[in-house]
Amino acid sequence: MASAMVSLATITLGSAASTVTFSSIPGTYRDLRLVLNLGNNSNTGSVMRFNGDSGSNYSYVYMSGNGSGTGSSSGTVTYVNLASNIYSNNTITDTYFVDIMDYSATDKHKTVLTRGNNAATGAEADAARWANTAAITSITIVGLAGSQMIAGSTLSLYGVIS
Amino acid sequence: MTVNRFSKASLSTPTRYRSLMAGEAAMGDYELISTTVLGSSAASVTFSGLGTSAAAYKHLQVRAVVRAAGNSIFSRYNSDSTSGNYRSHGLQGNGSSVLSEDYTYARDKGMIGGFMGLDATIPFALISDILDFQNTSKYKTARTLSGRATGGVALDSHVWMSTAAITSVTVLTGAASFTVGDRFSLYGLK
């Protein structure tokens, strides 16, 4: 039996970038997993979009702890909220495990589960939804509010077989 | 006749195969055991025969995506529904506050998500790791990340207070039923 988690692509940024896109994602897996180790140049974090959709088609709920308190919030936005309270300033200390479930199904909206961590700023768990039944064929990671992911940031995409 | 002894000592990164039949893929450390996509509604889904099908693994992982107008999702092991044989705790974010929960209503099953209730349109997803499931000298523990936007997200853990090796895993909902298209996958980890 072959391994159920297959590496599809890994990107290490040679220079700062405001977006990174995984495109032409095959529809032959059940779930996708993103493993991200990022740094940001503007004391903020990163978000995600599917198939280039920048409309208000994403909703989220999260819970977080920052070492002195906890928080939870929800809403509708124009991106998948990876982890609102995970951010860095020119250090590669943001880590995310992102599971995109049933990404190629065309009979349901898409649910994303994320764990984000930064030892300096906090730990967070998120659930998000892309309100679209289309199969996901591209994923774009975006620096929030015009920020950039710094050189040395790594982004890895895996397919989980069905 | 010369007899040569074969050794892998010179191989720096040997690849293991279950058999040498042509086309057999290399073994991995994270493997799919079974996937069920419901063709009709069901109150539960059971992965059975794990003493054979999952004998090579150290841990199990359940992945599921469900849409059902029900309440919460649970795991049972080896069909054990004895009250008091399970204990569950969780950390929940409901969109306005973070709560800590001792699931006192789930003493006959392990909580793996859905405290906010399930939804017929918005898929609820969970990933539940069951650790050391074949070990006969310890109780069995599981941890789960689950949620659906905007209802809630949770980190749950539960214990099945039995030293028996797990040979079946049943995923069930507290009310109503799972619906057509709901998907349940079981993976083995070495």
Side-chain angles (χ1 to χ4, degrees):
Chain A
M1 211 180 305
S3 178
M5 193 166 289
V6 179
S7 175
L8 299 180
T10 291
I11 299 169
T12 299
L13 295 181
S15 58
S18 56
T19 65
V20 173
T21 297
F22 297 94
S23 60
S24 301
I25 298 172
T28 50
Y29 300 97
R30 179 66 69 176
D31 305 322
L32 295 174
R33 167 165 274 200
L34 272 168
V35 179
L36 310 173
N37 187 205
L38 307 178
N40 191 280
N41 69 347
S42 189
N43 207 29
T44 185
S46 301
V47 297
M48 183 166 65
R49 291 194 171 109
F50 299 133
N51 295 8
D53 182 4
S54 59
S56 297
N57 298 315
Y58 305 88
S59 51
Y60 72 92
V61 59
Y62 75 76
M63 63 177 176
S64 65
N66 63 7
S68 59
T70 57
S72 180
S73 182
S74 63
T76 299
V77 289
T78 60
Y79 45 77
V80 172
N81 194 53
L82 284 175
S84 299
N85 296 287
I86 308 302
Y87 53 90
S88 55
N89 196 15
N90 288 309
T91 59
I92 302 175
T93 50
D94 303 339
T95 62
Y96 307 87
F97 286 90
V98 185
D99 287 283
I100 306 165
M101 311 293 284
D102 270 358
Y103 77 101
S104 62
T106 56
D107 64 341
K108 61 186 72 169
H109 294 171
K110 308 305 180 290
T111 293
V112 181
L113 298 177
T114 301
R115 287 178 295 147
N117 297 85
N118 181 312
T121 60
E124 183 168 316
D126 288 64
R129 171 180 69 135
W130 182 43
N132 195 311
T133 57
I136 293 173
T137 57
S138 75
I139 299 170
T140 302
I141 313 299
V142 185
L144 195 58
S147 65
Q148 293 185 313
M149 292 164 277
I150 64 176
S153 295
T154 61
L155 306 92
S156 300
L157 179 66
Y158 301 87
V160 182
I161 69 168
S162 176
Chain B
M1 182 178 74
T2 300
V3 176
N4 295 314
R5 180 173 68 89
F6 289 94
S7 169
K8 67 174 187 180
S10 64
L11 297 175
S12 58
T13 53
T15 299
R16 293 174 297 152
Y17 292 82
R18 288 192 186 279
S19 82
L20 295 180
M21 296 295 288
E24 182 71 15
M27 289 166 53
D29 295 324
Y30 176 76
E31 297 178 343
L32 174 68
I33 297 171
S34 179
T35 287
T36 295
V37 179
L38 292 181
S40 59
S41 62
S44 64
V45 172
T46 296
F47 299 100
S48 58
L50 300 181
T52 301
S53 61
Y57 305 109
K58 183 74 169 175
H59 313 295
L60 297 173
Q61 183 178 84
V62 176
R63 287 173 167 252
V65 178
V66 302
R67 292 171 296 174
N71 298 325
S72 299
I73 298 181
F74 307 90
S75 286
R76 275 196 177 126
Y77 306 111
N78 296 7
S79 301
D80 183 6
S81 58
T82 303
S83 181
N85 280 4
Y86 301 81
R87 189 74 185 268
S88 303
H89 287 84
L91 199 60
Q92 304 168 350
N94 61 14
S96 57
S97 59
V98 180
L99 306 173
S100 177
E101 181 72 44
D102 175 7
Y103 299 107
T104 56
Y105 55 87
R107 291 287 189 259
D108 60 340
K109 45 191 177 285
M111 179 65 158
I112 59 173
F115 75 91
M116 78 297 290
L118 307 180
D119 186 275
T121 302
I122 304 173
F124 170 89
L126 69 89
I127 301 174
S128 185
D129 292 296
I130 307 163
L131 306 180
D132 233 355
F133 74 103
Q134 298 192 86
N135 195 306
T136 55
S137 63
K138 61 177 74 171
Y139 293 163
K140 310 305 180 290
T141 57
R143 64 150 197 193
T144 308
L145 170 64
S146 69
R148 67 165 177 86
T150 55
V153 62
L155 289 166
D156 292 306
S157 66
H158 68 260
V159 61
W160 178 44
M161 289 179 276
S162 170
T163 57
I166 292 175
T167 57
S168 73
V169 177
T170 299
V171 181
L172 60 151
T173 182
S177 296
F178 299 125
T179 58
V180 173
D182 287 352
R183 159 251 167 164
F184 306 82
S185 300
L186 182 69
Y187 295 85
L189 290 85
K190 295 182 179 172

